[in-house]
């Protein structure tokens, strides 16, 4: 809400102007009824360049990685997970190029709990590392082939080595949401005692519910005194709400990827997390959201993964209207059918004239283009849409109230 413009407006002003002229968004007032307690500081660290690139078939070039990192920095992301240096020489060069760019964001990278992984990260001049190990019994037995005590010792050695070299260190318990609670508390407490700056709850298979993550974070907060971050996967479509539920329970870090890309069903979507926090929950983290659409398109092009038309925040249909009833209302007041104005995220509103359009929508678009037709001609135009249901005309809002018409026929 643009409070400077909306505060104290008189009834005459409100009658003369659309609500969207003085409001940037219009959400449910019921959101304010529950008592919610967010931490004072929430760190969003983005892993598009690491976990996002682990999407099958995705491989960013060093130039693409650098360009994405610069755009993330422009959005004001505080921490960028730039890659996994031990993977290859090329990966090290990519991460090194990002750390050499002088970005405002803190640049971190992933490492296993191995000295050589941390050395590779140090060679890239990163600010910190996320070092990880699977802690659930299924991971320890079938992947690591070690017991809990050996796992704990290995993790502490890695944390100690990284801290001795002056790095920010986050310890991530892979598959934390399927790990025994007592062991999880034990390994996080040990990580804290060895100097870890933050511990991560990795919901590796997206197998926890919002209620489950709330319980887990609250339990951990009883014993863990350092920052807790959430790395949520989207296998059941719950990554965003699990991330938000986790910070409401006391965590203060969220891992995201642009467009929600990542392994299997992907990760918590950066754009959905920050816009939900900003508008629905009133937690503005200071991001430059007007660059979100540009960032989404950049990652989509580099990854080769199209953004679904109905993808929240960045999809092409999010601010696109065809239904006559909807268009009639949007012409008069866009916030009738939009929770926020498209400019907040770098989008543009589009009116699509097609088989669902009515006379008022067609008339309005013709008028905007200084085209005046008789009522009979208008009816003929509307009838044409009804007959040719494979035809649509997209009307995109441009600068100075100009419009672009695009006729699409199949």
């Amino acid at each position: 809400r643009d409070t400077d413009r909306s505060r104290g407006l008189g009834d005459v002003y409100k009658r003369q102007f659309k609500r969207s002229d003085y409001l940037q968004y219009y959400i449910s007032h019921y959101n304010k009824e529950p008592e919610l307690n967010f931490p004072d500081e929430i760190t969003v660290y983005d892993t598009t360049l690491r976990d996002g690139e682990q999407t099958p078939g995705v491989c960013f070039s060093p130039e693409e990685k650098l360009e994405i990192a610069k755009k993330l920095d422009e959005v004001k992301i505080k921490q960028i997970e730039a890659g996994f240096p031990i993977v290859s020489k090329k990966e090290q060069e990519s991460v090194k190029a990002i750390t050499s760019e002088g970005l405002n964001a803190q640049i971190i990278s992933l490492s296993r709990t191995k000295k050589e992984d941390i050395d590779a990260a140090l060679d890239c001049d990163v600010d910190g590392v996320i070092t990880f190990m699977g802690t659930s019994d299924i991971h320890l037995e079938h992947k690591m082939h070690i017991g809990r005590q050996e796992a704990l010792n290995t993790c502490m050695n890695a944390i100690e080595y990284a801290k001795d070299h002056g790095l920010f260190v986050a310890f991530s318990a892979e598959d934390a949401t399927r790990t025994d609670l007592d062991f999880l508390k034990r390994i996080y407490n040990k990580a804290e005692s060895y100097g870890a700056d933050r511990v991560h709850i990795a919901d590796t298979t997206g197998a926890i519910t919002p209620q489950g993550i709330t319980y887990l974070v609250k339990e951990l907060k009883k014993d863990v005194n350092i920052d807790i971050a959430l790395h949520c996967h989207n296998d059941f479509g719950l990554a965003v709400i699990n991330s938000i539920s986790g910070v409401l329970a006391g965590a203060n870090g969220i891992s995201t990827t642009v467009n929600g890309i990542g392994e299997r069903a992907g990760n918590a979507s950066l754009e959905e997390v920050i816009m939900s926090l900003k508008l629905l929950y009133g937690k503005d983290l200071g991001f430059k959201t007007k660059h979100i659409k540009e960032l989404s398109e950049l990652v989509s092009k580099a990854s080769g993964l199209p953004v679904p038309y109905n993808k929240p925040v960045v999809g092409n249909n999010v601010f696109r209207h065809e239904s006559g009833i909807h268009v009639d209302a949007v012409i008069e007041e866009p916030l009738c059918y939009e929770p926020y104005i498209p400019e907040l995220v770098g989008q543009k509103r589009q009116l699509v004239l097609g088989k669902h359009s009515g006379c008022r929508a067609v008339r309005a678009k013709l008028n905007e283009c200084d085209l005046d037709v008789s009522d009979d001609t208008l009816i003929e135009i509307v009838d044409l849409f009804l007959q040719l249901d494979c035809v649509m005309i997209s009307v995109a809002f441009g600068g100075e109230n100009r419009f672009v018409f695009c006729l699409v026929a199949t």
Side-chain angles (χ1 to χ4, degrees):
R1 179 175 178 178
D2 189 343
T3 53
D4 289 335
R5 297 184 66 190
S6 61
R7 186 180 293 120
L9 289 173
D11 291 339
V12 173
Y13 186 93
K14 291 183 180 181
R15 284 198 300 269
Q16 291 177 339
F17 293 88
K18 298 176 183 179
R19 181 178 295 274
S20 53
D21 285 333
Y22 59 92
L23 288 182
Q24 293 186 332
Y25 63 95
Y26 187 40
I27 58 169
S28 175
H29 51 282
Y30 299 115
N31 294 343
K32 295 182 179 180
E33 295 304 319
E35 185 176 343
L36 304 176
N37 294 304
F38 281 102
D40 293 334
E41 297 289 332
I42 298 174
T43 297
V44 173
Y45 68 97
D46 190 84
T47 183
T48 301
L49 299 177
R50 198 276 301 170
D51 204 324
E53 195 181 26
Q54 289 177 205
T55 304
V58 173
C59 181
F60 298 132
S61 69
E63 294 77 18
E64 288 169 336
K65 276 202 163 193
L66 180 58
E67 190 176 3
I68 292 169
K70 289 164 69 174
K71 184 60 69 172
L72 287 167
D73 194 55
E74 191 175 357
V75 173
K76 301 298 182 183
I77 298 299
K78 292 182 179 179
Q79 284 187 331
I80 299 172
E81 189 179 351
F84 197 170
I86 196 65
V87 167
S88 68
K89 187 69 175 176
K90 183 178 179 180
E91 180 77 348
Q92 291 179 38
E93 291 172 355
S94 296
V95 175
K96 177 68 172 177
I98 294 171
T99 61
S100 301
E101 189 65 23
L103 303 178
N104 292 316
Q106 190 178 40
I107 307 303
I108 58 179
S109 65
L110 190 70
S111 73
R112 294 169 299 176
T113 50
K114 293 177 177 288
K115 179 179 178 292
E116 57 266 33
D117 283 36
I118 297 169
D119 286 338
L122 287 166
D123 289 341
C124 295
D125 294 328
V126 296
D127 299 302
V129 293
I130 300 172
T131 187
F132 73 99
M133 179 180 283
T135 54
S136 64
D137 288 340
I138 191 172
H139 274 241
L140 290 174
E141 181 179 352
H142 296 285
K143 186 180 75 172
M144 304 303 298
H145 306 292
I146 59 175
R148 290 180 177 178
Q149 187 59 50
E150 184 178 350
L152 189 149
N153 293 340
T154 301
C155 292
M156 296 313 113
N157 289 338
I159 293 169
E160 185 175 43
Y161 183 75
K163 289 305 297 181
D164 284 346
H165 286 78
L167 294 173
F168 167 92
V169 177
F171 169 69
S172 183
E174 188 181 17
D175 207 23
T177 57
R178 299 191 298 181
T179 297
D180 174 76
L181 182 57
D182 288 338
F183 180 57
L184 196 59
K185 287 185 175 182
R186 182 182 168 201
I187 200 165
Y188 283 160
N189 283 333
K190 272 289 188 180
E192 181 180 345
S193 70
Y194 272 72
D197 299 281
R198 189 170 71 204
V199 292
H200 291 183
I201 299 172
D203 184 27
T204 302
T205 59
I208 202 166
T209 63
Q211 296 77 22
I213 199 73
T214 297
Y215 169 81
L216 178 56
V217 172
K218 286 183 176 180
E219 282 295 312
L220 292 173
K221 289 291 289 183
K222 295 176 182 178
D223 299 285
V224 177
N225 298 306
I226 56 176
D227 292 344
I228 297 175
L230 305 147
H231 177 77
C232 298
H233 280 265
N234 204 39
D235 296 73
F236 290 90
L238 298 175
V240 171
I241 190 57
N242 279 344
S243 299
I244 293 173
S245 296
V247 294
L248 282 169
N252 57 2
I254 299 176
S255 169
T256 63
T257 59
V258 178
N259 298 334
I261 65 173
E263 297 189 74
R264 301 186 316 279
N267 294 45
S269 162
L270 170 67
E271 57 276 7
E272 293 176 36
V273 167
I274 64 179
M275 291 307 293
S276 294
L277 287 173
K278 177 183 175 73
L279 300 187
L280 298 179
Y281 291 92
K283 189 68 175 177
D284 189 344
L285 302 179
F287 294 111
K288 301 298 182 182
T289 61
K290 66 181 180 180
H291 301 302
I292 284 178
K293 180 64 172 177
E294 295 174 6
L295 175 60
S296 170
E297 290 175 341
L298 177 61
V299 171
S300 177
K301 181 180 178 181
S303 65
L305 300 174
V307 177
Y309 269 41
N310 64 339
K311 172 75 169 65
V313 183
V314 294
N316 285 340
N317 276 356
V318 176
F319 299 98
R320 210 164 179 234
H321 310 275
E322 180 188 343
S323 170
I325 296 173
H326 285 215
V327 170
D328 282 359
V330 168
I331 289 171
E332 186 166 327
E333 173 46 76
L335 291 178
C336 283
Y337 285 102
E338 295 171 359
Y340 56 94
I341 61 174
E343 290 78 10
L344 279 182
V345 293
Q347 287 257 45
K348 290 183 179 180
R349 184 174 299 110
Q350 297 182 31
L351 300 185
V352 175
L353 302 183
K355 63 178 288 188
H356 301 101
S357 300
C359 288
R360 186 182 179 194
V362 176
R363 170 75 77 185
K365 296 308 108 195
L366 291 171
N367 288 343
E368 293 287 356
C369 293
D370 296 325
L371 296 174
D372 187 20
V373 300
S374 67
D375 290 345
D376 289 341
T377 302
L378 178 64
I379 291 172
E380 289 180 16
I381 295 172
V382 174
D383 285 343
L384 176 63
F385 292 143
L386 296 177
Q387 294 169 24
L388 304 176
D389 59 7
C390 63
V391 175
M392 69 177 180
I393 295 180
S394 177
V395 188
F397 281 68
E400 299 180 355
N401 293 322
R402 298 180 185 274
F403 297 83
V404 177
F405 284 74
C406 178
L407 179 64
V408 180
T410 58

